[in-house]
Amino acid sequence: MSTLEEQIDVDVPIALAWERLHQVETYPRFVDGVREARSEDGHRAHLDVNAGGRAQKFEAEITDRGKEHRMEWQTTSGPDLSGTFSLLPIDQEHTRVQARIEYDPGTVKEAFGGPKGFAQATAIERLVRDDLEHFKELVEQKR
């Protein structure tokens, strides 16, 4: 398994960032490739994704640790992916969003296509970094 960690600081209080992170229906607005997303029973998410030039469906199990401002997720269908989003208060008006993604490079290549090895890792890093930038734009504009 490979692990990717990225973070970004957003200019909103932790409660607002936490609320926005849980609005699964807004994922198409900041997660590249997600065409549609919906929450099912608050602990599952269904994502329609355009990956590697083809439409795919993913299901994910979500575990909240609200008191810690930590959301963990694991795919239950599609490629084996898991991750954690942790929110840390910087001060009253600023929050650090930390993303940690665990993936098997071979599985990701099969599901999404693209190069192997370092080129793929670089592409995934760029994708996650871009998604975090889009999340920042979304939460700061809705303020």
Side-chain angles (χ1 to χ4, degrees):
M1 285 294 245
S2 293
T3 301
L4 168 66
E5 294 181 355
E6 290 287 334
Q7 67 183 27
I8 194 165
D9 295 343
V10 296
D11 297 335
V12 298
I14 195 168
L16 181 58
W18 184 247
E19 176 188 324
R20 298 289 191 254
L21 186 61
H22 283 80
Q23 294 175 343
V24 173
E25 290 74 17
T26 65
Y27 285 14
R29 294 180 60 192
F30 69 91
V31 180
D32 188 45
V34 175
R35 297 178 317 168
E36 182 182 345
R38 67 183 175 280
S39 178
E40 297 175 356
D41 75 26
H43 297 287
R44 299 183 69 66
H46 174 84
L47 305 171
D48 290 332
V49 178
N50 184 3
R54 60 185 189 265
Q56 298 186 51
K57 296 182 183 299
F58 298 106
E59 300 287 331
E61 181 88 22
I62 299 170
T63 305
D64 268 342
R65 296 187 180 194
K67 291 180 183 173
E68 300 169 25
H69 290 103
R70 181 177 165 115
M71 182 175 79
E72 298 171 348
W73 58 271
Q74 168 76 45
T75 55
T76 57
S77 70
D80 186 23
L81 302 167
S82 63
T84 304
F85 291 100
S86 300
L87 304 183
L88 305 166
I90 297 171
D91 60 30
Q92 293 282 348
E93 295 297 317
H94 303 90
T95 303
R96 178 159 294 141
V97 180
Q98 295 178 323
R100 178 183 172 102
I101 314 292
E102 295 183 13
Y103 63 97
D104 173 53
T107 302
V108 169
K109 183 180 182 328
E110 287 174 23
F112 299 104
K116 283 186 173 180
F118 180 74
Q120 183 183 43
T122 301
I124 292 169
E125 286 176 18
R126 187 173 50 250
L127 182 66
V128 171
R129 200 173 308 119
D130 287 350
D131 290 348
L132 287 174
E133 286 289 340
H134 294 136
F135 179 74
K136 176 181 175 70
E137 292 168 8
L138 177 69
V139 298
E140 290 178 358
Q141 86 179 28
K142 284 194 148 193
R143 198 152 183 224

